[in-house]
Amino acid sequence: MPDDAQTSPPSRATPPGLHLIATPIGTARDITLRALDLLAGADMLVAEDTRSLRHLMEIHAIPLRGRRVLAYHDHNGAKMRPVILSALEAGKSVVYASEAGTPLVADPGFQLARAVIAGGFDLHAAPGPSAALAALTVAGLPSDRFCFLGFAPPQASARRKFIAEAATIPATLIFYESPKRINQLLEALCDGLGADREAALCRELTKKHEEVLRMPLGALADALRARSLKGEIVLLVDRGKDRVADAQTLDAALTEALDEMRLKEAVAHVSQSLGLPRRQVYQAALAKEKAE
Ligand code: SAM
């Protein structure tokens, strides 16, 4: 619930400490009034991408007042943390923004926040946009429990392991992915989770070309094969239903299918008819062949 005492703009400068502010993921007007106040009043401005923050301040007519915007990102964190900590030591207020959305959410800021806590300084959040929550809001998938998984590893075997771990999580799964790798991710998810799991692909949220595709993973993979997607993407996948085909049912279905089909077709057929992940059926088929 909003705190009434905090509704009016602050009459003084940003209070000392580190303020982690969320910035828009598309539409510039999604910045919060509080984030603008903090930017206007901070002693020190720090950003993952200094140009983006300067641009955002320009759009909202927040003057720099001679302040420089310092860069803090994955490659200079170790060097910059002492600079930020000594400003906090001197009682200054510091605002940090990642390139877009909420810092620390698939973005830098975690080690900085830890260092600030360890140093005994004040740490505050100015909450606002995040692509994960914006996508959850429009996906049409259960929102009672969700698990943010960020970017899947690009390397095939690491991605398989990552997906196998995700398969048993009883929650809506939220992935970030680049348009270049979305097709590979979808194929891997069909294999690891089953092509019939409901999913939603949310692209370019809050921007001109916003698009949400809501369909099972297999249909999504088919639909995207013919398209080359651009822009930023969040992919959400529904939790698995309780589809525990017992070993006997799986074995019987495989025996029948392997009598009539080659291994690959048999696996696809059984996984489809029992609603099981292709990978699980494939492993059962290999074990069966080995045992015979
Ligand atoms: N910190 C950000 C947040 O809170 O959402 C995420 C930063 S991460 C480096 C960037 C990824 O977020 C993109 O590759 C995409 O997966 C997702 N993303 C960011 N903006 C988006 C948008 N407007 N629509 C869909 N996905 C978006």
Side-chain angles (χ1 to χ4, degrees):
M1 196 198 277
D3 174 358
D4 291 347
Q6 306 283 335
T7 49
S8 48
S11 51
R12 55 187 178 77
T14 299
L18 177 69
H19 302 263
L20 298 164
I21 67 161
T23 54
I25 55 166
T27 299
R29 289 180 66 79
D30 281 343
I31 187 101
T32 68
L33 297 175
R34 180 153 166 257
L36 292 178
D37 291 339
L38 294 169
L39 285 169
D43 298 311
M44 183 186 263
L45 300 170
V46 187
E48 180 189 12
D49 183 310
T50 59
R51 267 180 42 172
S52 302
L53 185 64
R54 279 202 307 269
H55 183 53
L56 188 66
M57 290 174 70
E58 231 173 82
I59 294 174
H60 294 289
I62 305 289
L64 276 172
R65 295 189 285 101
R67 295 170 295 175
R68 274 178 58 214
V69 181
L70 304 178
Y72 178 95
H73 42 67
D74 286 339
H75 308 292
N76 73 352
K79 200 176 90 199
M80 285 306 293
R81 278 192 293 278
V83 176
I84 295 168
L85 291 177
S86 61
L88 297 177
E89 184 80 62
K92 307 266 186 221
S93 55
V94 181
V95 162
Y96 177 68
S98 60
E99 201 205 331
T102 300
L104 281 81
V105 179
D107 258 346
F110 169 65
Q111 292 193 36
L112 177 58
R114 293 270 286 200
V116 169
I117 295 166
F121 304 111
D122 285 341
L123 178 68
H124 305 281
S130 183
L133 290 185
L136 183 70
T137 318
V138 295
L141 294 175
S143 57
D144 57 328
R145 210 192 280 185
F146 54 90
C147 181
F148 175 68
L149 292 161
F151 291 93
Q155 204 251 340
S157 63
R159 191 171 51 215
R160 261 200 305 277
K161 184 164 177 275
F162 178 84
I163 292 173
E165 280 166 12
T168 55
I169 299 173
T172 294
L173 309 175
I174 306 181
F175 300 92
Y176 283 173
E177 192 47 284
S178 87
K180 272 192 264 167
R181 284 202 291 260
I182 190 66
N183 291 22
Q184 284 152 284
L185 176 64
L186 283 167
E187 297 293 342
L189 287 170
C190 286
D191 280 352
L193 306 182
D196 60 343
R197 270 224 210 177
E198 285 299 327
L201 183 141
C202 305
R203 192 172 71 82
E204 294 288 85
L205 293 169
T206 79
K207 303 189 205 178
K208 189 172 166 200
H209 298 292
E210 174 167 320
E211 178 182 35
V212 182
L213 302 170
R214 302 175 185 92
M215 57 188 90
L217 280 170
L220 204 46
D222 290 344
L224 294 196
R225 228 168 266 129
R227 283 180 65 180
S228 109
L229 282 194
K230 290 208 176 77
E232 299 192 280
I233 296 170
V234 184
L235 179 70
L236 298 95
V237 183
D238 198 359
R239 73 198 69 182
K241 309 281 174 278
D242 288 333
R243 290 192 248 91
V244 221
D246 62 87
Q248 255 182 338
T249 310
L250 176 56
D251 190 63
L254 272 174
T255 307
E256 201 180 313
L258 284 166
D259 264 358
E260 294 163 20
M261 300 169 214
R262 294 148 84 92
L263 181 82
K264 206 168 155 210
E265 283 96 11
V267 168
H269 172 77
V270 171
S271 108
Q272 172 102 41
S273 58
L274 296 184
L276 289 172
R278 219 182 306 171
R279 191 170 159 67
Q280 183 189 337
V281 178
Y282 183 65
Q283 272 161 357
L286 286 186
K288 192 170 164 56
E289 281 200 335
K290 216 167 152 193
E292 280 166 6

